[in-house]
Amino acid sequence: ADELLPELFDEGSELLLEVLGGVFEGKYKQDGTGCDVQDDAEATHADKMTKDEGQLWFTENAVYMHNKVRAFAGWPGTSAQLVVQEKGKDPQDVKVKIIPTRVSRP
């Protein structure tokens, strides 16, 4: 993601500069005139997200989990199930909400 963002910024800036003059000249209009209008028949549907999708598993790599936390920020959020056991006591399942994350590079 860190490598892709500058590339997308550069590409998007160039594309914006290519069409911005046409917007001001009236070549491209809000009703779609002059634009490539999406064919709704070709559009695909994404299923609604569920809270279960925000569950983190520590078998996944750190970058994947970090991106998952970023993707699910707000709703449904991300969480992890941990087992905590104090000396001499029974283990307890604890659900932990994960908010900020950071991946350290070696």
Side-chain angles (χ1 to χ4, degrees), residues 65-82:
M65 290 194 305
H66 170 69
N67 288 334
K68 191 172 188 178
V69 170
R70 292 173 52 222
F72 289 96
W75 194 93
T78 49
S79 61
Q81 294 284 350
L82 305 176

Side-chain angles (χ1 to χ4, degrees), residues 26-99:
K27 181 179 175 184
Y28 306 109
K29 302 197 182 226
Q30 194 168 3
D31 66 359
T33 304
C35 302
D36 293 330
V37 179
Q38 176 178 309
D39 180 0
D40 290 337
E42 295 291 321
T44 58
H45 173 76
D47 290 333
K48 185 176 178 180
M49 291 188 302
T50 66
K51 282 191 170 193
D52 291 341
E53 291 179 83
Q55 182 71 34
L56 291 182
W57 302 100
F58 292 100
T59 55
E60 298 164 336
N61 74 56
V63 173
Y64 178 85
M65 290 194 305
H66 170 69
N67 288 334
K68 191 172 188 178
V69 170
R70 292 173 52 222
F72 289 96
W75 194 93
T78 49
S79 61
Q81 294 284 350
L82 305 176
V83 177
V84 177
Q85 184 171 9
E86 294 181 48
K87 190 174 182 176
K89 294 186 179 181
D90 291 334
Q92 294 182 16
D93 290 334
V94 177
K95 184 176 183 177
V96 179
K97 184 158 179 79
I98 310 294
I99 301 173

